[in-house]
Amino acid sequence: MPSNPSIETKTNIRKKQKNASKRRETIAGFLFVTPMLIGVSVIVLFPIVATFILAFADWKFVQSIDNLKWVGFQNFQGLWEDEKFIKSVINNAVFMLTVPTTMIISLVLAILIDKYTYFKSYFKVAFFMPYISSVVAIAVVWQVLFHPSQGPINQVLMSFGIENPPTWISDPNFALLSVMIIHIWISIGFNLIVYIAGLQSIPKELYEAADMDGANAWHKFSNITFPVISPTSFFLLITGIIATFKVFDLIAVLTQGGPLNSTTMLVWHLYDMAFLNLEIGYASAIAVVLFLIVFTITILQWISQKKWVNY
Amino acid sequence: MKFNLKKMLTTFILFFCSIAFLLPFVWMLSTSMKIEADVFKFPIEWIPSRWNFVSNYQEVWFGDHPFYLYYWNSIKVAVITTLLSVVVSALAAYGFSKVKFRASAWLFLIVLATYMVPPQASLVPQFILYRYIGLFDSHLGLILLGSFSVLGTFMLRQFFMGIHNDFIDAAKIDGAGHWRIFWKISLPIVKPAVATYAILRFIWTWNDYQNPLIFLRTDALYTIQLAMQKFTTINGSFYTLIMAAAVSAILPLLIVFILGQKHVIDGIALGGVKG
C-alpha cells in the first residue's frame, strides 16, 4: 500500500503548514498589540488595582512605606462623616443639571442651523470654539468677566438697573451656578456637532410624507425628529454625565472648591486630599467611590441602551 | 421667495447669537491690546482707544516668565505624545481587527474595559509609581501618560474593520507579511481617520492641565497651561497681561482647529453618532 502513507504525509504537511501559519498569525497579533497592552497595564490597570488596595490603608506620601497601616473600612466610614465629601457628592449631583440644559440648547441650535440657515460651517466652527480652547485660559477670562464690582457682566447688569447683582464666583450661593454656566458654554459645541450629524441622518422622505399628511412643525418634531435622534440624545446624556464627574480644570483655576466649599466636587476633593493633604489612603477611598459611580453609569448605559432607545 | 426670506432672517438672528456666544473671546482679545486703566471702562471699549499691544505681548513672551519657553515645552510634549499615541493606537487597532489570533477578543475587552476607569481614579498610584521609577517631573513621564489611548485604538479599529478582507488576503497571497500590509496598504486607506485622531489628540494634550499640574514640578518644564495659571497668580490684577497670555494660550489651537476643522468636526460627529 504505497499510496496511503503519501496521503498521510501530505495531510500532515498541510496540517503543519496550517499550524505554522496560525502560529505566525498569533505572533504577529501579539507584536501589534503588545505596546498598547503594556502601556495600558502599567498606566491604567495596575494603578486602578492599587487604588482599591490603598483605600484600605492609612498612609501619607512623605512617610516611608513602613508607616503604612491597614485600617479596614475606616477610610470609607470617614467619608460619611466628612462634610466636604457629602457636599462634593451633592454638588456633583447638582452639576448633572448642566447636561440636559446643554442638550436642549444644542438641539434647538442644531435644528436651526441644519435647516434654516446659510453658512452652516461658520456656525459649527463658531459654537465649537469654546470646546477646543484651553480650559485654563477660558477660566481666567471668565474670572475677570465675573469680577464682582468692575466686571463687564455686572456692569451690564447694573446698567439695566439691577442694583445689587450677584458677586458670582465669590458668592457661595452663586459660585456653583457660575461654574455650571461656563461648563454649559464649553459643552454646547460638542453637543451641537453630534446633534447636527444625527439630524442629517434622518431620511428626508419622512418629513415629505408628514408634509403630505399636513403635519405642523411641532408634530414633525415630536413624531419624527425626536424619536429618530433618541440614540444620539442618549449618547450625549451618558457621555455628558460622565464628563461632569471629570470636571477639574475649571474648579482648580476658578474657585479651588470655595467659597465655603460651595464648589467642591469629588475630583477636586480627591486632588485636595491626595496632593495637598497627602492623605493617600483617604484619597484612594474617594477614588474608589468615583470609580464605582462612573462604572455603574456605564453599565446602566449598556443595559438600557437596547431597551429605551428607539432605533 | 418667502422661504428664502425666512432663512435669511434666521441666519441673521443666529449670527448675532453666535457673536454674543463668542463675546468672551472678543473681550479677551480686545483687553489684551489695551492699557491697564481702560480694562473696566464702561460702556465696554471693544476697539481699544489707547493701544498697548506690543508692550503687553512683549511682557508675556519675553518678560520674567517667558512664554516662548513654555511654548516650546508644550509643542514638544504635544507633538511627541500625538506621534507616539497614533503609532501605538494604529498598531493595536490593526492587530485587533485584521490579525486573526486567539486571545484577541479577550485582550481587546481588557483594553476596552480600561476606558471605563475615570482618569482621576488612578492618579494616586500613578503618582507613587512615577516617583518610584523616576518619571516624576519629566517630559517623558508626561508623554507616556498620554500615549496609550483606548479611544484612539477603538476609533482606528472601526476604520480598519471597514477595509475589505479580500484586500488583505490578496496581499498575503502575494507574499506580503502583516507588517507590510499594515504599513503599505491599510494605513494609507485609513489616513483621514488617523489625521482626525491626531488633531484631536494634539488639542487634548495641548489643553491638558491636570497631568502637568500633578506630574511636573520644575518651572522650566512647565507647559503652557501651567504657565498660564502661574502667570495669572503672579500678575494678579494686571488684566491686560493676563488676557495677552490667554490669547497666546488659545491661538495655536485655534489655528490647528481651523486648518483641520473638517477632520475634527467629522470625527466628533462620527464618534458621536456611532456612540
Side-chain angles (χ1 to χ4, degrees):
Chain A
M1 301 206 293
S3 63
N4 250 358
S6 96
I7 289 173
E8 241 177 54
T9 44
K10 253 187 193 165
T11 47
N12 261 345
I13 288 167
R14 230 175 256 159
K15 235 184 204 168
K16 263 185 195 161
Q17 274 177 340
K18 217 177 163 192
N19 276 340
S21 95
K22 235 186 184 172
R23 200 176 312 130
R24 242 179 307 160
E25 284 281 298
T26 307
I27 292 171
F30 270 101
L31 284 179
F32 273 103
V33 302
T34 297
M36 185 70 195
L37 280 180
I38 293 178
V40 159
S41 312
V42 174
I43 285 181
V44 188
L45 281 181
F46 164 70
I48 193 66
V49 172
T51 295
F52 272 82
I53 297 170
L54 285 172
F56 297 96
D58 178 18
W59 185 45
K60 291 201 171 209
F61 265 136
V62 280
Q63 294 169 329
S64 84
I65 194 95
D66 307 327
N67 291 353
L68 187 146
K69 271 189 312 225
W70 298 106
V71 293
F73 282 91
Q74 200 178 305
N75 286 327
F76 292 96
Q77 276 163 357
L79 288 178
W80 298 116
E81 289 145 28
D82 176 0
E83 270 175 44
K84 212 175 156 190
F85 174 78
I86 306 284
K87 184 74 186 157
S88 302
V89 174
I90 295 172
N91 282 345
N92 262 109
V94 173
F95 211 91
M96 280 191 224
L97 289 175
T98 58
V99 181
T101 316
T102 311
M103 285 169 63
I104 292 167
I105 298 173
S106 308
L107 181 57
V108 172
L109 284 172
I111 291 175
L112 288 178
I113 291 173
D114 183 46
K115 269 209 192 134
Y116 303 104
T117 59
Y118 300 102
F119 312 117
K120 269 180 213 170
S121 25
Y122 158 76
F123 287 115
K124 282 189 197 171
V125 171
F127 286 105
F128 200 62
M129 263 176 64
Y131 185 77
I132 56 133
S133 299
S134 136
V135 176
V136 179
I138 281 177
V140 169
V141 173
W142 279 89
Q143 195 165 30
V144 188
L145 292 176
F146 275 139
H147 192 287
S149 56
Q150 296 171 299
I153 292 178
N154 275 359
Q155 297 238 32
V156 170
L157 288 179
M158 281 192 274
S159 76
F160 282 136
I162 298 168
E163 283 187 6
N164 291 310
T167 53
W168 304 108
I169 50 174
S170 18
D171 181 341
N173 295 320
F174 279 90
L176 190 64
L177 180 70
S178 313
V179 179
M180 286 165 74
I181 291 173
I182 304 174
H183 184 74
I184 293 173
W185 183 72
I186 295 174
S187 319
I188 282 178
F190 177 76
N191 284 248
L192 179 70
I193 298 295
V194 175
Y195 263 138
I196 288 180
L199 290 174
Q200 283 169 347
S201 68
I202 303 178
K204 294 245 174 349
E205 293 79 22
L206 286 178
Y207 291 108
E208 283 161 12
D211 279 334
M212 280 201 276
D213 290 343
N216 62 26
W218 170 250
H219 278 131
K220 278 190 271 183
F221 174 77
S222 58
N223 291 322
I224 303 175
T225 314
F226 190 75
V228 178
I229 55 163
S230 66
T232 311
S233 300
F234 189 72
F235 165 79
L236 287 174
L237 184 72
I238 297 296
T239 51
I241 289 176
I242 292 178
T244 62
F245 283 96
K246 298 178 183 170
V247 172
F248 174 78
D249 302 6
L250 271 183
I251 306 290
V253 177
L254 271 179
T255 63
Q256 311 248 314
L260 298 175
N261 294 336
S262 58
T263 59
T264 183
M265 307 244 282
L266 278 176
V267 169
W268 172 258
H269 193 36
L270 193 169
Y271 170 80
D272 188 34
M273 275 306 173
F275 299 102
L276 304 179
N277 293 316
L278 309 178
E279 293 284 355
I280 295 307
Y282 194 77
S284 298
I286 301 174
V288 167
V289 173
L290 178 73
F291 174 85
L292 291 178
I293 293 174
V294 173
F295 187 78
T296 312
I297 296 172
T298 317
I299 296 294
L300 282 181
Q301 173 200 7
W302 280 8
I303 297 170
S304 55
Q305 203 166 24
K306 295 261 154 56
K307 278 187 193 164
W308 293 348
V309 175
N310 205 339
Y311 280 99
Chain B
M1 196 59 207
K2 193 186 154 211
F3 179 67
N4 270 350
L5 194 72
K6 204 169 139 191
K7 207 168 170 180
M8 266 162 75
L9 198 69
T10 31
T11 307
F12 201 64
I13 295 169
L14 217 61
F15 179 72
F16 277 98
C17 290
S18 73
I19 295 294
F21 190 78
L22 294 178
L23 276 184
F25 287 110
V26 182
W27 192 84
M28 165 185 81
L29 191 66
S30 108
T31 305
S32 76
M33 299 187 257
K34 285 180 187 170
I35 64 163
E36 203 54 49
D38 289 350
V39 171
F40 288 129
K41 262 200 181 165
F42 195 77
I44 299 164
E45 283 180 354
W46 293 105
I47 295 165
S49 56
R50 290 179 281 185
W51 289 78
N52 202 24
F53 173 80
V54 176
S55 136
N56 286 344
Y57 280 86
Q58 207 169 20
E59 177 61 32
V60 171
W61 278 80
F62 305 104
D64 292 340
H65 308 282
F67 261 43
Y68 71 85
L69 172 70
Y70 308 123
Y71 247 69
W72 171 240
N73 289 338
S74 266
I75 290 172
K76 191 171 126 191
V77 170
V79 168
I80 302 178
T81 306
T82 304
L83 285 178
L84 206 59
S85 170
V86 165
V87 171
V88 172
S89 296
L91 282 174
Y94 181 86
F96 283 129
S97 58
K98 289 297 166 196
V99 188
K100 306 270 168 294
F101 65 109
R102 246 197 229 179
S104 163
W106 278 105
L107 292 176
F108 185 63
L109 204 66
I110 291 175
V111 172
L112 211 55
T114 62
Y115 192 57
M116 284 192 258
V117 179
Q120 287 102 349
S122 41
L123 266 184
V124 172
Q126 271 174 0
F127 181 83
I128 299 172
L129 178 75
Y130 265 45
R131 288 297 285 254
Y132 189 69
I133 57 179
L135 281 173
F136 176 71
D137 201 18
S138 73
H139 280 162
L140 178 66
L142 203 55
I143 288 165
L144 287 177
L145 278 179
S147 295
F148 302 99
S149 161
V150 179
L151 188 70
T153 307
F154 188 70
M155 196 172 135
L156 294 180
R157 178 175 167 270
Q158 298 287 87
F159 283 90
F160 277 128
M161 287 198 313
I163 300 176
H164 223 282
N165 273 333
D166 294 351
F167 251 136
I168 300 204
D169 291 338
K172 264 189 205 160
I173 290 166
D174 287 347
H178 271 298
W179 176 250
R180 270 187 60 196
I181 299 173
F182 167 72
W183 190 245
K184 295 270 179 192
I185 301 171
S186 308
L187 211 52
I189 297 178
V190 299
K191 228 199 249 160
V194 172
T196 301
Y197 174 64
I199 294 172
L200 286 173
R201 175 54 56 197
F202 184 89
I203 292 175
W204 291 331
T205 315
W206 183 276
N207 282 341
D208 186 20
Y209 171 67
Q210 188 178 299
N211 280 340
L213 177 72
I214 290 168
F215 293 97
L216 293 182
R217 194 116 312 167
T218 312
D219 188 276
L221 295 177
Y222 275 15
T223 61
I224 201 81
Q225 309 306 331
L226 280 186
M228 176 75 221
Q229 164 73 358
K230 188 189 74 169
F231 193 85
T232 312
T233 319
I234 290 171
N235 289 295
S237 52
F238 289 95
Y239 295 116
T240 54
L241 294 183
I242 292 172
M243 291 308 133
V247 171
S248 305
I250 289 179
L251 208 63
L253 268 205
L254 227 51
I255 294 169
V256 171
F257 170 59
I258 287 170
L259 287 180
Q261 49 142 310
K262 222 189 128 37
H263 280 303
V264 178
I265 287 178
D266 288 356
I268 299 260
L270 201 82
V273 173
K274 280 195 173 157

